[in-house]
Every structure is written in structure tokens, then in C-alpha cells.
Amino acid sequence: MHIKKTRLLTPGPTPIYPKALHAMLGADMHHRTQEFRNVFLAVLADLKLVMNTAHDVLVLVASGTGAMEASVTNCFSPGDRVIVCSAGKFGERWVEMTRAYGLNVLVLEAAYGKAVSAEAVEKALTPDVKGVFVQASETSTGAAHDVRAMGEAVKKTGAIFVVDAITGLGTMPLDIDAWGLDIVIGGSQKAFMVPPGLAFLSISPKAWARMETAKLPRYYFNLQREKKFAASGESAWTASTALMLALNEALQYIKSIEMPKLIANAEQLARATREACRALNLELFAPGNPSASVTAIKAPEGLDSGVIVKEFRDRFGSIIANGQGEMKGRIFRIAHLGYFDAADLFAVIAELELILHANGIPVTLGTGVAAVQRVYAEIAITRKELANV
Ligand SMILES: Cc1ncc(COP(=O)(O)O)c(C=O)c1O
């Protein structure tokens, strides 16, 4: 076959919602005009709505890591005692970052594929702890953390709970206000279906109060300054007009399907992927606490996951993710967050079967796809039954 379409199927950047891509053509505007202020204010209001929080939400021109750094520099002082829950490459990023800023870091570590328990956090929460950092969904391993239980523990203390929900938002329920999630960080290139370049974060009154006394140096990412500008529909520095137009359009789509259904979509795709793995005798990397944002799968014995990733690209034009760091070559990752549908998954699993088969792994073609189809049919039937009630 001679035509193969390029398909972006990674856990970030994710496939772009087409109308968001088209909206970027309108970026021929100045960011300090009423025309753009209207877009800016609409984006902030809609982010608040879909994140389901009464807390302030701010947008920064940065990839997700920029908002992670902003949470550190704006809320902490040199030498502050903090807890970092680390269960993968992004947990390690929290460790590196908090140490780089001179915080006194206690690392609660879980093996790759596992999660740090809320009990461990509760036990470590001595009165001197000023902050707790975690990933809601650890994208490098496909594991999820119980941020609800952690939040319940942290909110009884003076510590600020900082949640990297860069791949958690839109893939798992997060009751930001009720669970005591003081800072919740998202990124444009994940479930929000637009290109990389915007980070956003919700900020609780407890976190704002902390900023009054936090002493770490900051300049570009100054959240108090951003808040003042945001009140009138502007950002402190030049806004990314193109990405804001795109996000505005994607948020209309997310509102139209509603956030709980976007989450359910990811959960259903993740469940179907796990069923396909079972049918194909493939082992999951995080079976105990799987995230719905991405499923990490162990490469079969004797086959490097890099070969699988390469063959996805070379044979079918499908871009999927390899493992990161030490996991490179051992796992591959299938994403579910944002603009992914059942047809994407039918294709991915069919391609995977063909790749395994071509590499001498015993698979009966169609078994994985059938497993996905069964999950699809079961969901469709349930929906029909509900419609008839
Ligand atoms: C859980 C998590 N945290 C942080 C990041 C870093 O975000 P960025 O690459 O946008 O800076 C990512 C990106 O993949 C992520 O998945």
C-alpha cells in the first residue's frame, strides 16, 4: 500500500482539534486590544469552568514545566522543607527543580510503574513541611496517584499541595476545591487538544496567601503580577495570540462534550487498550494503578520497544511514544488523552498486531482488535439502554 497518513498518537503533543488549528489563522492581531482581551478573558473563564474550580486560573506562555517552576518560585523560600512524590521521570523533574531552587527536599519514591501511597505522604507530613509535590498522572510510566487522599491529608496542615495534572486534567476526575489541591497545573498540548506552548494553573487562596511571604527569586513567572494583568484580560508579557485563539476554540469543543465525558472517553480507551493487551498476552507496566491518560506496555521478551515505535512510524505513519530514560527500549506508550477516538484505537491495535507478527511474536491477527471492539460494543449497548429508559 502506497499511502500512509502521519498520525500523531503520543501523550503530548496530542492530535490537534481541527477547528483549533484553523483558529490560529486569526492571530494577526495585537495582544493589547479589546479584540484579544475578549479571547483572553473567555479562555480564563472556560478553563475555570472545565477545571470545575472557584480558584483563580492563570495562563502562562511556556510548556508545562514553566508552570511547575512558577509554582516553586512563587510559593516557597530557600531552605523550605518539602515532600516530593516521585514515581517516574516527571516526579524526578520535581526533585531536580525543587533542589535547584535550594529547597530541603524529602523524596518519597515509588518504583517505576508504581505509585506513592497517600499513607506515606500523611506519615511524612511533619509540621515543618511547607509543600507537597506530585504528578496526578505520571506520563512516563502510565501510573496514577491518589491525589484525593493525599489532598485530604495535606489540607489539614499548613503545606501547599502542588499537583502536576499536565496529563491528569481531562483524564481523571479532579475535584480541585473539595480535595484541597492548591495548585493544579495543565498544559495546552495534552487533553486540551492544541499545540505546545501554553501552561496554566489554578491557584487556591492558601497558595495566594503563601506568596505574600515566599522569598525565592522570580521574574518572568510572577503569578501576582500575572493575576493583576489577567483581571483586565491581559498577560504581563506578550501573549501567545495564536495559541490562545486555538485554546479558545478547543474549550468550546470540550464544553460541548463536557469535561466528565472527555474523561470517560479517555477511561474507555484506556480500558479497551488494557483488554487488548490481555488478549495479546502483553504485560502492562503499571497494572496496579493505571492512568487513563496513557497506557505503558512492556515490549515482549527479545523485542526492543524502539523497534515497535519505529515500525509504527515507518509502516503506518503512526507516531507513538517509546519509554523515557531507563524505560527506553523496554516499554511503549499508547495515549488516550484529548482528541482520540475509538477508530484511532482500532487502528493502533491492528497496527500493533501486525508489527508483533512481523517480528515473530506469536499473535493471532485480530484478537486485540476484537477485544477493543467488544469494549466499544458493550459501551454502545449500555448507552442505547440508557437512551431507552
Ligand atoms: C506529567 C507531566 N509533567 C510535566 C510534563 C512536562 O511538560 P512540558 O514538556 O510541557 O514542559 C509532562 C509532559 O509530557 C508531563 O506529562
Side-chain angles (χ1 to χ4, degrees):
M1 288 176 202
H2 299 288
I3 292 181
K4 54 181 187 228
K5 300 182 185 175
T6 300
R7 291 184 176 85
L8 181 58
L9 301 167
T10 56
T14 60
I16 300 174
Y17 173 56
K19 280 191 182 174
L21 194 59
H22 304 156
M24 292 198 285
L25 290 171
D28 189 13
M29 62 165 75
H30 196 275
H31 58 288
R32 305 214 188 273
T33 57
Q34 199 50 46
E35 188 188 11
F36 184 70
R37 281 185 207 109
N38 294 341
V39 174
F40 194 95
L41 289 170
V43 165
L44 291 191
D46 286 343
L47 277 175
K48 244 174 111 120
L49 195 77
V50 302
M51 288 169 75
N52 190 27
T53 179
H55 298 167
D56 296 304
V57 175
L58 294 176
V59 177
L60 305 171
V61 180
S63 76
T65 306
M68 292 170 74
E69 183 154 321
S71 71
V72 173
T73 56
N74 283 259
C75 295
F76 297 92
S77 301
D80 274 355
R81 179 78 166 155
V82 296
I83 295 171
V84 170
C85 305
S86 178
K89 299 315 286 179
F90 295 103
E92 289 163 18
R93 191 169 298 183
W94 274 138
V95 175
E96 287 167 10
M97 190 183 279
T98 48
R99 286 198 173 135
Y101 279 103
L103 304 188
N104 174 3
V105 186
L106 171 68
V107 183
L108 299 180
E109 199 169 305
Y112 291 166
K114 300 268 189 323
V116 177
S117 73
E119 293 73 38
V121 173
E122 190 158 17
K123 242 198 216 155
L125 266 170
T126 47
D128 58 334
V129 171
K130 296 284 198 307
V132 177
F133 296 84
V134 73
Q135 269 65 40
S137 153
E138 174 50 77
T139 322
S140 66
T141 67
H145 276 115
D146 185 352
V147 292
R148 179 183 193 160
M150 289 181 184
E152 298 295 344
V154 180
K155 80 177 172 190
K156 290 185 225 141
T157 74
I160 304 288
F161 190 29
V162 185
V163 180
D164 165 0
I166 289 173
T167 54
L169 280 167
T171 65
M172 59 201 283
L174 292 171
D175 194 339
I176 293 175
D177 304 10
W179 298 355
L181 315 185
D182 294 303
I183 294 193
V184 174
I185 298 166
S188 55
Q189 81 277 26
K190 305 290 183 178
F192 291 86
M193 312 174 186
V194 296
L198 294 178
F200 35 88
L201 64 178
S202 64
I203 303 160
S204 72
K206 187 176 173 186
W208 283 121
R210 173 65 73 73
M211 281 181 228
E212 300 292 330
T213 54
K215 294 201 172 50
L216 275 176
R218 67 200 77 122
Y219 191 81
Y220 182 76
F221 297 126
N222 183 325
L223 298 177
Q224 286 164 314
R225 188 182 171 113
E226 290 295 345
K227 185 183 181 181
K228 277 194 202 115
F229 275 84
S232 56
E234 293 192 16
S235 47
W237 323 116
T238 305
S240 173
T241 48
L243 289 173
M244 289 298 271
L245 287 168
L247 185 55
N248 190 29
E249 199 58 60
L251 284 165
Q252 304 317 306
Y253 178 61
I254 292 171
K255 283 195 300 178
S256 76
I257 51 174
E258 297 174 356
M259 195 65 155
K261 288 192 188 137
L262 180 67
I263 294 169
N265 187 72
E267 287 171 342
Q268 289 161 357
L269 292 173
R271 177 158 74 89
T273 305
R274 294 193 294 269
E275 295 288 335
C277 288
R278 196 164 305 136
L280 293 167
N281 285 323
L282 291 172
E283 223 182 305
L284 300 172
F285 192 59
N289 35 288
S291 159
S293 65
V294 61
T295 301
I297 303 163
K298 290 189 189 173
E301 198 65 33
L303 183 59
D304 191 294
S305 65
V307 172
I308 298 174
V309 172
K310 185 172 181 309
E311 292 205 12
F312 260 103
R313 190 185 57 226
D314 294 350
R315 286 175 184 266
F316 304 108
S318 297
I319 316 294
I320 69 153
N322 200 333
Q324 293 169 265
E326 300 88 302
M327 292 167 278
K328 194 167 180 187
R330 292 172 52 212
I331 61 171
F332 58 99
R333 294 173 296 149
I334 295 178
H336 320 297
L337 70 175
Y339 201 55
F340 282 95
D341 68 5
D344 288 326
L345 191 59
F346 294 146
V348 166
I349 300 299
E351 291 167 20
L352 175 61
E353 289 177 358
L354 287 162
I355 292 166
L356 295 176
H357 188 257
N359 282 280
I361 307 296
V363 293
T364 306
L365 294 181
T367 29
V369 175
V372 178
Q373 287 171 320
R374 275 195 298 277
V375 172
Y376 176 86
E378 184 195 307
I379 292 162
I381 290 163
T382 312
R383 214 177 270 152
K384 201 164 150 211
E385 282 170 355
L386 286 174
N388 289 339
V389 173

